[in-house]
Amino acid sequence: MIVVADTTPLHYLVLIEEIHLLPALYGRVLIPPAVAAELTARGTPEPVRRWIGSQPRWLEVLAPKRLPSDLPEFLGPGERDAIALGLERDCDALLMDDWEGREEARRRQLHVAGTLRILASAAEKGLTDLPAAISRLRATNFRASEKLLQSFLKNAD
């Protein structure tokens, strides 16, 4: 399985101490250098910077060979590069939370999963407690509507 990740799912899974779910669900995860840079940027929480600084074996930093010229300018560098890498590698999943980035990825026929979908998939396999994980997620600055959070919790029952 080929999985490419953008910054935010990694960021929040580290913060809520659920990053171990990625290798359990997907094995190896690819990220472009722009995502690695965002995870080490000033202002990034220290636990996230520490985690990427001791990069796990299952995480591989790989640059896309080229960026499609028609990627929208409003996407951030991590989103653009993650989409490009996902397209090049014909990925099975692109892990991304940004709404505009997700829409662009879907437009390009990529299967997208965000942080909440990752948590829900892990809960379905008995790898995490979804209500507890969402409670920890709510304690961060993760942005999702209450309606969306409740729909994931309801579906977990």
Side-chain angles (χ1 to χ4, degrees):
M1 175 175 269
I2 298 173
V3 175
V4 175
D6 184 28
T7 306
T8 55
L10 299 171
H11 175 108
Y12 288 107
L13 290 172
V14 167
L15 289 181
I16 66 170
E17 300 180 352
E18 296 282 5
I19 194 69
H20 64 280
L21 297 175
L22 293 182
L25 290 170
Y26 307 117
R28 186 174 72 138
V29 176
L30 306 176
I31 63 170
V35 167
E38 290 174 359
L39 292 168
T40 61
R42 184 185 298 177
T44 300
E46 184 60 30
V48 177
R49 290 188 305 175
R50 246 190 342 266
W51 176 80
I52 193 66
S54 61
Q55 181 180 325
R57 289 186 185 147
W58 53 264
L59 186 72
E60 182 179 346
V61 179
L62 188 64
K65 291 184 173 104
R66 68 173 201 82
L67 289 178
S69 60
D70 62 340
L71 279 172
E73 290 295 317
F74 58 79
L75 295 177
E79 291 144 0
R80 284 194 307 269
D81 286 7
I83 290 170
L85 187 58
L87 290 167
E88 281 179 14
R89 291 299 181 143
D90 193 24
C91 72
D92 298 293
L94 176 65
L95 309 179
M96 183 177 286
D97 286 322
D98 177 79
W99 181 255
E100 293 166 326
R102 291 168 63 96
E103 288 299 306
E104 182 63 25
R106 283 189 189 112
R107 189 177 74 74
R108 294 169 184 271
Q109 309 303 308
L110 292 172
H111 173 74
V112 183
T115 300
L116 292 171
R117 171 52 41 217
I118 295 164
L119 293 171
S121 295
E124 290 166 7
K125 295 179 184 298
L127 300 173
T128 194
D129 177 330
L130 186 61
I134 287 180
S135 177
R136 290 191 305 277
L137 198 56
R138 283 179 165 141
T140 71
N141 64 348
F142 183 80
R143 293 184 311 222
S145 71
E146 187 59 29
K147 182 178 177 181
L148 180 61
L149 294 173
Q150 287 301 320
S151 73
F152 273 91
L153 290 168
K154 182 179 178 184
N155 289 335
D157 288 339

